[in-house]
Amino acid sequence: MTEASHYTASETLAILASRQLKDGQVVFAGVGTPLLAATLAQQLRCPGLTILFEGGVVGAFVEAGKLPPSTNDQRCTKRANMVLGSADVLLLLQRGYVDIGFMGGAQIDQFGNLNSSFIGDPAAPKTRLPGTGGGNDISSLTNMIVAMKHEKRRFVENVDFITSPGFIRGGDSRRDSGLPAGGMFRVITELAVFGFDERSRRMKVLALNPGVSREEVQDNTGFRLDFDENLTVTEPPTSHELQILRQLDPDRLFTA
Amino acid sequence: MTEASHYTASETLAILASRQLKDGQVVFAGVGTPLLAATLAQQLRCPGLTILFEGGVVGAFVEAGKLPPSTNDQRCTKRANMVLGSADVLLLLQRGYVDIGFMGGAQIDQFGNLNSSFIGDPAAPKTRLPGTGGGNDISSLTNMIVAMKHEKRRFVENVDFITSPGFIRGGDSRRDSGLPAGGMFRVITELAVFGFDERSRRMKVLALNPGVSREEVQDNTGFRLDFDENLTVTEPPTSHELQILRQLDPDRLFTA
Amino acid sequence: MLEAQLEPYTQLRADLAARDRSLREKVMSLEEAAGFVQDGMKVGIGGSTMSRTPMAMIWEIIRQRRQDLSCSRCIVSTDGDLLFGSGAANHIITSWFAQGILWGLSKVMRHHVETQGKRYEEWSHMGVGMRYRAGGMGVPFLPMRAMLGSDVMRQRPEAKPIDCPFTGEKLLLVPALNPDVALIHVQRCDAYGNAQIDGLQFMDIDLALAANRVILTTERIVSNDQIRRRPDHTKIPFFCVDAVVEVPYGAAPHECFGIYEPMMKHMDAYVKQVNADPVKGMQQYLEKYFYEPKSWNEYLALIGMNELLEASQLGRSIYND
Amino acid sequence: MLEAQLEPYTQLRADLAARDRSLREKVMSLEEAAGFVQDGMKVGIGGSTMSRTPMAMIWEIIRQRRQDLSCSRCIVSTDGDLLFGSGAANHIITSWFAQGILWGLSKVMRHHVETQGKRYEEWSHMGVGMRYRAGGMGVPFLPMRAMLGSDVMRQRPEAKPIDCPFTGEKLLLVPALNPDVALIHVQRCDAYGNAQIDGLQFMDIDLALAANRVILTTERIVSNDQIRRRPDHTKIPFFCVDAVVEVPYGAAPHECFGIYEPMMKHMDAYVKQVNADPVKGMQQYLEKYFYEPKSWNEYLALIGMNELLEASQLGRSIYND
């Protein structure tokens, strides 16, 4: 049974993220919440949404209960429209065929830059993280949606290391760095939905999740947040959204 | 029956050209005499010779009596080892996988430059020829063998237009132009076999065909020819060579 | 000149963003699909020489009396004759332009280039390939090592020789070519435009990625289900494609790998007629085969049943062994 | 540093000219093939993450106690752990290095990079791809539009940002990567090395063209006749290949498309053991699975019949629908 009144933070994340997608878009999705959210959007509102995977998959077909655990294995290719080389699928981004890159994030800053390479000084790191994978390419070349957990240590003023560029140092610095296309579009957490100011390119709250206060968001964020002048409160997950989501991930691998 | 004592100029050309190839080489061959000569070499002495076609064919298999009329049609691909894109087969040359480029020629000069683009002033040409095709790429990127008819109007001091570069203006001018690899290796005609001087890079006669005099070659050439100090006379086509050649081209499409 | 050729990246991206790239059916008629080709456009033509030429689409464009097209193709054959001869194109970018290796020079090309001021812009074969590839990769140029030192390069100020910033070696940078529309003929695709290509691919994959619109003609339309059973056989993804037209024998009188070889009697007669008189011979050919038929099938009927059957028998024979 | 990375074109050409590229049989054992890998070499590894990893060849190289290798791969998984942990490699070039997305950080990688001075050289995924592609094309660099503005670029002085000579746009030139030897695992090839690859190709085709030597391991060796029936399915041509080794389950415990999926119980146990103690855990794993078995089949027996059969059932299932 669908219990629309009880849902997890991960479920909220997936559902709110799925609402950001539009029918007809071509979406480069990472595994986990991004893929779950994209598939949810496809089933709910966007039958013409196309999902790409980094391993080289175009127009993936994701079956309920069988979400692939990585984007480089054969399960990702099943009943896809096309598979091609890993560099070639990234070149589709560079050419401009992709509307949205959709990833998770470990650490983000006020300008939407993501770090997945180093904690601490890169020259003598406290922790060597796995690195960019396709993240740098995707975030350099298209509009990004990031779905991630909201913790103060993950939302920092400036990341230790810009692995995947958002708006770099804000203003026109992204464009001036040689990235005239794309940029951070939305950040979705279990607390709020964030956009970026048109001029300063700093993160700002567009909508609070149901039951979340401004203070709660600010308290969990490592830098001063702006709030959009038209700040809204997000519609809670509907029972229909939850029902489809739970069909997609019946074992709660990604929504526990 | 093989009549070893009677053979055409085209047959001489094909047989002498085939003798220039070595077993194990990778040869980029044009249709007509080059393909015929490469296939002859393969059957006579070089079972490990690999033939590439410009259309995108690797390790072609040429059947006796069924020589393909162009390098871009399906007959070229029959029982080949691989077919790939046209740009990609040329990139194999650029990477260095190919030992020999083997083409015909319409007009050649003292430095082995070939013209297949213009007769007369390129700005107001008397004749617009078909152009380079892959010729420019092949001659820029590997060692060349050219098999062609020997006529004065075809052997000129300087071509009207360098379509496919030989040694450009001689000396180091090819290397200095940005072509450090390859260059003209041999020119084969019905009169003689030509090489190029190591320093001046001018064409010189290495061997006269049987029954051909120095004067006859010079008289049919539009520039002053040098003769190698070890000038030899080529062995005439053997009956075995002629026999296999005539099996390959029984209808004399290329050896009339 | 360069400025006219190379669109800024932001413009290329904006053009693509405005395209409907969703998974949707786009099957239409030749007439409808030809609407994507407007006077003055840059048109990229798939296949090579006499292979997988998108002849039905060219036929329709000529029937619709398009003008001032700038066409590009790796190797140009009778398609170039017809585009010049009909007045559809005044500029052709290629590396080789004749009717086919069997027939020597094209008198039609010679007539139009030598006396009518039409332009045959010559690049090396790899040069054309690298230009499409750069276009398909979304970069303004690619480096290459051919053309250097030749007069082919000297005639192309659009290309830039440089000293490599890594090695100091000389290299040639060739600019991206992003046609406004590409015409590509394939053996099969689905209604969305996911295309499979058998045999030689020529430059079609790079061309499809580079172009701002793609019209696909196909010998047959198969189900998306069939495509999805072997996604590693898809060569062009649906979102590159704007129109899908099912046209059996759509490359006639040229060949389509595994289905039919060229219709050589027709080709021989064509070459004889147009080379004998590049103006009147061409005009008569166009009248009879292009303007008068009411449909593509009528055009095929004029080529004749014997030719089609013989060409088909040879075409299929590649799979006989 | 750059000088060490980029061989001059003439040297690359000379290396290739010296290779025996003739159509010849080159089937040999794992032991023999491993002779192409010498201490200190640049080794390119095919496949990605847990897919088509040339595990049998890595296993043999580690058994032969190779050292100081500089390895590159688009995405590195437990292969990287084993190369660092065994002492075979001290440098790994990739875009992502963990055991697999299911298990979080690799404690083995962290140990060797954070405390043992081993180098994990990070490029973007496309950056690695463009480096192999440049290497395969025979050019010293390719231009790309990612990495710009990021600290990933700032850590890579080997790459050069430029202003495009055509458009003035900023671009990044990434240098060619030509490994001394590439290890690639495929579903099938012939005795000459003509290889077919099903499913995801990753960067293997560019890698094969770029490398100065290629060792191919294959699930099966098929006849050249079978290859020649569908030459458009050949993905790597024989003259790129220097050794062919038939090794069924040659990617185990990783997957090989259409044949077997990863052996997840083994992988889970491996990760648990090495992450619990990156030194001793790894040493024990290597002893048991790498150094002690007398043959690859003995290694497979240690992974176990149940795992192999289950993985095979899942692997084949991709073709069940």
Side-chain angles (χ1 to χ4, degrees), chain D residues 50 55 59 78 82 103 251-254 262-274 285-286 288-290 299-304 306-308 310-311:
Chain D
M50 294 197 291
M55 193 62 84
W59 178 84
T78 59
L82 296 162
W103 299 291
H254 292 181
M263 291 144 205
M264 292 306 284
K265 289 195 193 74
H266 184 87
M267 290 295 292
D268 268 329
Y270 161 86
V271 172
K272 203 169 171 185
Q273 175 172 336
V274 299
Y285 182 85
L286 287 170
K288 177 170 177 188
Y289 290 97
F290 276 53
Y299 161 89
L300 294 177
L302 291 172
I303 293 178
N306 285 345
E307 275 267 69
L308 254 67
E310 193 185 338

CSV table of all heavy atoms in Angstrom, one decimal, chain D residues 50 55 59 78 82 103 251-254 262-274 285-286 288-290 299-304 306-308 310-311:
chain,number,residue,atom,x,y,z
D,50,MET,N,33.6,-2.3,-13.9
D,50,MET,CA,33.6,-3.8,-13.7
D,50,MET,C,33.2,-4.5,-15.0
D,50,MET,O,32.6,-5.6,-15.0
D,50,MET,CB,32.6,-4.1,-12.6
D,50,MET,CG,33.0,-3.7,-11.2
D,50,MET,SD,32.1,-4.5,-9.9
D,50,MET,CE,30.5,-3.9,-10.1
D,55,MET,N,41.1,-8.9,-16.8
D,55,MET,CA,41.5,-9.3,-15.5
D,55,MET,C,42.6,-10.4,-15.5
D,55,MET,O,43.5,-10.4,-14.8
D,55,MET,CB,40.3,-9.8,-14.6
D,55,MET,CG,40.6,-9.9,-13.2
D,55,MET,SD,41.2,-8.4,-12.3
D,55,MET,CE,39.6,-7.7,-12.0
D,59,TRP,N,46.1,-10.2,-13.8
D,59,TRP,CA,46.4,-11.3,-12.9
D,59,TRP,C,47.8,-11.9,-13.2
D,59,TRP,O,48.7,-12.0,-12.4
D,59,TRP,CB,45.3,-12.4,-13.0
D,59,TRP,CG,45.5,-13.6,-12.3
D,59,TRP,CD1,45.0,-13.8,-11.0
D,59,TRP,CD2,45.9,-14.9,-12.8
D,59,TRP,NE1,45.2,-15.2,-10.6
D,59,TRP,CE2,45.8,-15.8,-11.7
D,59,TRP,CE3,46.4,-15.4,-14.0
D,59,TRP,CZ2,46.1,-17.2,-11.8
D,59,TRP,CZ3,46.8,-16.7,-14.1
D,59,TRP,CH2,46.6,-17.6,-13.0
D,78,THR,N,38.4,-2.4,-9.1
D,78,THR,CA,39.3,-3.2,-8.3
D,78,THR,C,40.6,-3.5,-9.0
D,78,THR,O,41.5,-3.9,-8.4
D,78,THR,CB,38.6,-4.5,-7.9
D,78,THR,OG1,38.2,-5.3,-9.1
D,78,THR,CG2,37.3,-4.3,-7.1
D,82,LEU,N,44.3,-3.7,-7.2
D,82,LEU,CA,45.2,-4.8,-7.3
D,82,LEU,C,46.5,-4.3,-7.8
D,82,LEU,O,47.6,-4.8,-7.4
D,82,LEU,CB,44.6,-5.9,-8.2
D,82,LEU,CG,43.3,-6.5,-7.6
D,82,LEU,CD1,42.5,-7.2,-8.7
D,82,LEU,CD2,43.6,-7.5,-6.5
D,103,TRP,N,30.1,0.4,-3.4
D,103,TRP,CA,30.9,0.3,-2.1
D,103,TRP,C,31.5,1.5,-1.6
D,103,TRP,O,32.3,1.5,-0.6
D,103,TRP,CB,31.9,-0.8,-2.3
D,103,TRP,CG,31.4,-2.1,-2.6
D,103,TRP,CD1,30.7,-2.9,-1.8
D,103,TRP,CD2,31.4,-2.8,-3.9
D,103,TRP,NE1,30.3,-4.1,-2.5
D,103,TRP,CE2,30.8,-4.1,-3.7
D,103,TRP,CE3,32.0,-2.5,-5.1
D,103,TRP,CZ2,30.6,-5.0,-4.8
D,103,TRP,CZ3,31.9,-3.5,-6.2
D,103,TRP,CH2,31.2,-4.7,-6.0
D,251,ALA,N,37.5,-12.0,-17.7
D,251,ALA,CA,37.3,-10.7,-17.0
D,251,ALA,C,36.8,-11.0,-15.5
D,251,ALA,O,36.6,-10.0,-14.8
D,251,ALA,CB,36.2,-9.9,-17.7
D,252,ALA,N,36.7,-12.2,-15.2
D,252,ALA,CA,36.2,-12.6,-13.8
D,252,ALA,C,37.1,-12.0,-12.7
D,252,ALA,O,38.3,-12.0,-12.8
D,252,ALA,CB,36.1,-14.1,-13.7
D,253,PRO,N,36.5,-11.5,-11.6
D,253,PRO,CA,35.1,-11.5,-11.2
D,253,PRO,C,34.3,-10.3,-11.8
D,253,PRO,O,33.1,-10.1,-11.4
D,253,PRO,CB,35.2,-11.4,-9.7
D,253,PRO,CG,36.4,-10.5,-9.5
D,253,PRO,CD,37.3,-10.8,-10.6
D,254,HIS,N,34.8,-9.6,-12.8
D,254,HIS,CA,34.0,-8.6,-13.4
D,254,HIS,C,33.2,-9.2,-14.5
D,254,HIS,O,33.2,-10.4,-14.7
D,254,HIS,CB,34.9,-7.5,-14.0
D,254,HIS,CG,35.6,-6.7,-12.9
D,254,HIS,ND1,36.5,-5.6,-13.2
D,254,HIS,CD2,35.6,-6.7,-11.5
D,254,HIS,CE1,36.9,-5.1,-12.0
D,254,HIS,NE2,36.4,-5.8,-11.0
D,262,PRO,N,29.0,-9.5,-13.3
D,262,PRO,CA,30.0,-9.6,-12.2
D,262,PRO,C,29.6,-10.7,-11.2
D,262,PRO,O,28.5,-11.0,-11.0
D,262,PRO,CB,29.9,-8.2,-11.6
D,262,PRO,CG,29.3,-7.3,-12.5
D,262,PRO,CD,28.3,-8.2,-13.3
D,263,MET,N,30.6,-11.2,-10.6
D,263,MET,CA,30.5,-12.3,-9.6
D,263,MET,C,30.4,-11.5,-8.2
D,263,MET,O,31.4,-11.3,-7.6
D,263,MET,CB,31.6,-13.3,-9.7
D,263,MET,CG,31.5,-14.1,-11.0
D,263,MET,SD,33.0,-14.5,-11.8
D,263,MET,CE,32.4,-14.7,-13.5
D,264,MET,N,29.2,-11.2,-7.9
D,264,MET,CA,29.0,-10.2,-6.8
D,264,MET,C,29.3,-10.7,-5.4
D,264,MET,O,29.8,-9.9,-4.6
D,264,MET,CB,27.6,-9.7,-6.8
D,264,MET,CG,27.3,-8.8,-8.1
D,264,MET,SD,28.5,-7.4,-8.4
D,264,MET,CE,27.9,-6.3,-7.1
D,265,LYS,N,29.1,-12.0,-5.2
D,265,LYS,CA,29.5,-12.5,-3.9
D,265,LYS,C,31.0,-12.4,-3.7
D,265,LYS,O,31.5,-12.0,-2.6
D,265,LYS,CB,29.1,-14.0,-3.7
D,265,LYS,CG,27.6,-14.1,-3.6
D,265,LYS,CD,27.2,-15.5,-3.1
D,265,LYS,CE,25.7,-15.8,-3.3
D,265,LYS,NZ,25.4,-16.0,-4.7
D,266,HIS,N,31.8,-12.7,-4.7
D,266,HIS,CA,33.2,-12.6,-4.6
D,266,HIS,C,33.6,-11.1,-4.5
D,266,HIS,O,34.5,-10.8,-3.6
D,266,HIS,CB,33.9,-13.2,-5.9
D,266,HIS,CG,35.4,-13.2,-5.8
D,266,HIS,ND1,36.1,-14.2,-5.2
D,266,HIS,CD2,36.3,-12.3,-6.3
D,266,HIS,CE1,37.4,-13.9,-5.3
D,266,HIS,NE2,37.5,-12.7,-5.9
D,267,MET,N,33.0,-10.3,-5.2
D,267,MET,CA,33.3,-8.9,-5.2
D,267,MET,C,33.0,-8.3,-3.8
D,267,MET,O,33.8,-7.6,-3.2
D,267,MET,CB,32.5,-8.1,-6.2
D,267,MET,CG,32.9,-8.3,-7.7
D,267,MET,SD,34.6,-7.8,-8.0
D,267,MET,CE,34.4,-6.0,-7.9
D,268,ASP,N,31.9,-8.7,-3.2
D,268,ASP,CA,31.5,-8.2,-1.9
D,268,ASP,C,32.5,-8.6,-0.9
D,268,ASP,O,33.0,-7.8,0.0
D,268,ASP,CB,30.1,-8.7,-1.5
D,268,ASP,CG,29.0,-7.8,-1.9
D,268,ASP,OD1,29.2,-6.6,-1.9
D,268,ASP,OD2,27.9,-8.3,-2.2
D,269,ALA,N,32.9,-9.9,-0.9
D,269,ALA,CA,33.9,-10.4,0.0
D,269,ALA,C,35.2,-9.7,-0.1
D,269,ALA,O,35.9,-9.4,0.8
D,269,ALA,CB,34.0,-11.9,-0.2
D,270,TYR,N,35.6,-9.5,-1.4
D,270,TYR,CA,36.9,-8.8,-1.7
D,270,TYR,C,36.9,-7.4,-1.1
D,270,TYR,O,37.8,-7.1,-0.4
D,270,TYR,CB,37.1,-8.7,-3.2
D,270,TYR,CG,38.1,-7.7,-3.6
D,270,TYR,CD1,39.5,-8.0,-3.6
D,270,TYR,CD2,37.7,-6.4,-3.9
D,270,TYR,CE1,40.4,-7.0,-3.9
D,270,TYR,CE2,38.6,-5.4,-4.2
D,270,TYR,CZ,40.0,-5.7,-4.2
D,270,TYR,OH,40.9,-4.7,-4.5
D,271,VAL,N,35.8,-6.7,-1.3
D,271,VAL,CA,35.8,-5.3,-0.9
D,271,VAL,C,35.9,-5.3,0.7
D,271,VAL,O,36.6,-4.5,1.3
D,271,VAL,CB,34.6,-4.6,-1.4
D,271,VAL,CG1,34.4,-3.2,-0.7
D,271,VAL,CG2,34.6,-4.4,-2.9
D,272,LYS,N,35.1,-6.1,1.3
D,272,LYS,CA,35.1,-6.2,2.7
D,272,LYS,C,36.5,-6.5,3.3
D,272,LYS,O,37.0,-5.8,4.2
D,272,LYS,CB,34.1,-7.3,3.2
D,272,LYS,CG,33.6,-7.2,4.6
D,272,LYS,CD,32.4,-8.2,4.8
D,272,LYS,CE,32.0,-8.2,6.2
D,272,LYS,NZ,31.0,-9.2,6.5
D,273,GLN,N,37.1,-7.4,2.7
D,273,GLN,CA,38.5,-7.8,3.2
D,273,GLN,C,39.5,-6.7,3.0
D,273,GLN,O,40.3,-6.4,3.9
D,273,GLN,CB,38.9,-9.1,2.4
D,273,GLN,CG,40.3,-9.6,2.8
D,273,GLN,CD,40.6,-10.9,2.2
D,273,GLN,OE1,39.7,-11.7,1.9
D,273,GLN,NE2,41.9,-11.2,2.0
D,274,VAL,N,39.6,-6.1,1.8
D,274,VAL,CA,40.6,-5.2,1.5
D,274,VAL,C,40.4,-3.8,2.2
D,274,VAL,O,41.3,-3.1,2.6
D,274,VAL,CB,41.0,-5.0,0.0
D,274,VAL,CG1,41.4,-6.3,-0.6
D,274,VAL,CG2,39.8,-4.4,-0.8
D,285,TYR,N,44.5,-11.5,0.0
D,285,TYR,CA,43.8,-11.8,-1.2
D,285,TYR,C,44.7,-12.2,-2.3
D,285,TYR,O,44.4,-13.1,-3.1
D,285,TYR,CB,42.9,-10.5,-1.5
D,285,TYR,CG,42.1,-10.7,-2.8
D,285,TYR,CD1,40.8,-11.3,-2.7
D,285,TYR,CD2,42.5,-10.4,-4.0
D,285,TYR,CE1,40.0,-11.6,-3.8
D,285,TYR,CE2,41.8,-10.6,-5.2
D,285,TYR,CZ,40.5,-11.2,-5.0
D,285,TYR,OH,39.8,-11.4,-6.2
D,286,LEU,N,45.8,-11.4,-2.5
D,286,LEU,CA,46.7,-11.7,-3.6
D,286,LEU,C,47.3,-13.1,-3.5
D,286,LEU,O,47.4,-13.8,-4.4
D,286,LEU,CB,47.8,-10.6,-3.7
D,286,LEU,CG,47.4,-9.2,-4.2
D,286,LEU,CD1,48.5,-8.2,-3.9
D,286,LEU,CD2,47.0,-9.3,-5.6
D,288,LYS,N,46.1,-15.7,-2.0
D,288,LYS,CA,45.1,-16.8,-2.2
D,288,LYS,C,44.7,-16.9,-3.7
D,288,LYS,O,44.6,-18.0,-4.3
D,288,LYS,CB,43.9,-16.6,-1.3
D,288,LYS,CG,42.8,-17.6,-1.5
D,288,LYS,CD,41.7,-17.6,-0.5
D,288,LYS,CE,40.6,-18.6,-0.8
D,288,LYS,NZ,39.5,-18.4,0.1
D,289,TYR,N,44.4,-15.7,-4.3
D,289,TYR,CA,43.8,-15.7,-5.6
D,289,TYR,C,44.8,-15.5,-6.8
D,289,TYR,O,44.5,-15.8,-7.9
D,289,TYR,CB,42.7,-14.7,-5.7
D,289,TYR,CG,41.5,-15.1,-4.9
D,289,TYR,CD1,41.3,-14.6,-3.6
D,289,TYR,CD2,40.5,-16.0,-5.4
D,289,TYR,CE1,40.2,-15.0,-2.8
D,289,TYR,CE2,39.4,-16.4,-4.6
D,289,TYR,CZ,39.3,-15.9,-3.3
D,289,TYR,OH,38.2,-16.3,-2.6
D,290,PHE,N,45.9,-14.8,-6.5
D,290,PHE,CA,46.8,-14.5,-7.6
D,290,PHE,C,48.1,-15.3,-7.6
D,290,PHE,O,48.4,-15.9,-8.6
D,290,PHE,CB,47.2,-13.0,-7.5
D,290,PHE,CG,46.1,-12.1,-8.1
D,290,PHE,CD1,44.8,-12.2,-7.8
D,290,PHE,CD2,46.5,-11.1,-9.1
D,290,PHE,CE1,43.8,-11.4,-8.4
D,290,PHE,CE2,45.6,-10.3,-9.7
D,290,PHE,CZ,44.2,-10.4,-9.4
D,299,TYR,N,42.2,-20.3,-10.4
D,299,TYR,CA,41.7,-19.1,-9.9
D,299,TYR,C,40.1,-19.1,-10.0
D,299,TYR,O,39.4,-18.7,-9.1
D,299,TYR,CB,42.3,-17.9,-10.6
D,299,TYR,CG,41.6,-16.6,-10.5
D,299,TYR,CD1,41.9,-15.7,-9.5
D,299,TYR,CD2,40.7,-16.2,-11.5
D,299,TYR,CE1,41.3,-14.4,-9.5
D,299,TYR,CE2,40.1,-14.9,-11.5
D,299,TYR,CZ,40.3,-14.1,-10.5
D,299,TYR,OH,39.7,-12.8,-10.4
D,300,LEU,N,39.6,-19.5,-11.2
D,300,LEU,CA,38.2,-19.5,-11.4
D,300,LEU,C,37.5,-20.5,-10.4
D,300,LEU,O,36.5,-20.3,-9.9
D,300,LEU,CB,37.9,-19.9,-12.8
D,300,LEU,CG,38.3,-18.9,-13.9
D,300,LEU,CD1,37.9,-19.5,-15.3
D,300,LEU,CD2,37.6,-17.5,-13.7
D,301,ALA,N,38.2,-21.6,-10.2
D,301,ALA,CA,37.7,-22.6,-9.2
D,301,ALA,C,37.6,-22.1,-7.8
D,301,ALA,O,36.6,-22.4,-7.1
D,301,ALA,CB,38.6,-23.9,-9.2
D,302,LEU,N,38.5,-21.2,-7.5
D,302,LEU,CA,38.4,-20.5,-6.2
D,302,LEU,C,37.2,-19.6,-6.1
D,302,LEU,O,36.6,-19.4,-5.0
D,302,LEU,CB,39.7,-19.8,-5.9
D,302,LEU,CG,41.0,-20.6,-5.6
D,302,LEU,CD1,42.2,-19.7,-5.5
D,302,LEU,CD2,40.8,-21.5,-4.3
D,303,ILE,N,37.0,-18.9,-7.2
D,303,ILE,CA,35.8,-18.1,-7.2
D,303,ILE,C,34.5,-19.0,-7.0
D,303,ILE,O,33.6,-18.6,-6.3
D,303,ILE,CB,35.7,-17.2,-8.5
D,303,ILE,CG1,36.8,-16.2,-8.5
D,303,ILE,CG2,34.3,-16.5,-8.6
D,303,ILE,CD1,36.9,-15.3,-9.7
D,304,GLY,N,34.6,-20.1,-7.7
D,304,GLY,CA,33.5,-21.1,-7.4
D,304,GLY,C,32.5,-21.3,-8.5
D,304,GLY,O,32.1,-20.4,-9.2
D,306,ASN,N,29.3,-22.1,-8.4
D,306,ASN,CA,28.0,-21.4,-8.2
D,306,ASN,C,28.1,-20.0,-8.8
D,306,ASN,O,27.2,-19.5,-9.5
D,306,ASN,CB,27.6,-21.4,-6.8
D,306,ASN,CG,27.1,-22.7,-6.3
D,306,ASN,OD1,26.8,-23.6,-7.1
D,306,ASN,ND2,27.0,-22.9,-5.0
D,307,GLU,N,29.1,-19.3,-8.4
D,307,GLU,CA,29.3,-17.9,-8.8
D,307,GLU,C,29.4,-17.8,-10.3
D,307,GLU,O,28.7,-17.0,-11.0
D,307,GLU,CB,30.6,-17.3,-8.2
D,307,GLU,CG,30.4,-16.8,-6.8
D,307,GLU,CD,30.1,-15.3,-6.8
D,307,GLU,OE1,29.0,-14.9,-7.2
D,307,GLU,OE2,31.0,-14.5,-6.4
D,308,LEU,N,30.2,-18.7,-10.9
D,308,LEU,CA,30.4,-18.6,-12.4
D,308,LEU,C,29.1,-18.9,-13.1
D,308,LEU,O,28.7,-18.2,-14.1
D,308,LEU,CB,31.4,-19.6,-12.8
D,308,LEU,CG,32.8,-19.0,-13.2
D,308,LEU,CD1,33.4,-18.3,-12.0
D,308,LEU,CD2,33.7,-20.0,-13.8
D,310,GLU,N,25.9,-18.7,-12.0
D,310,GLU,CA,24.9,-17.6,-11.8
D,310,GLU,C,25.3,-16.4,-12.6
D,310,GLU,O,24.4,-15.8,-13.3
D,310,GLU,CB,24.9,-17.3,-10.3
D,310,GLU,CG,23.7,-16.5,-9.9
D,310,GLU,CD,23.7,-16.0,-8.4
D,310,GLU,OE1,24.4,-16.7,-7.6
D,310,GLU,OE2,23.1,-15.0,-8.1
D,311,ALA,N,26.5,-16.0,-12.6
D,311,ALA,CA,27.0,-14.9,-13.4
D,311,ALA,C,26.7,-15.1,-14.9
D,311,ALA,O,26.3,-14.2,-15.6
D,311,ALA,CB,28.4,-14.6,-13.1
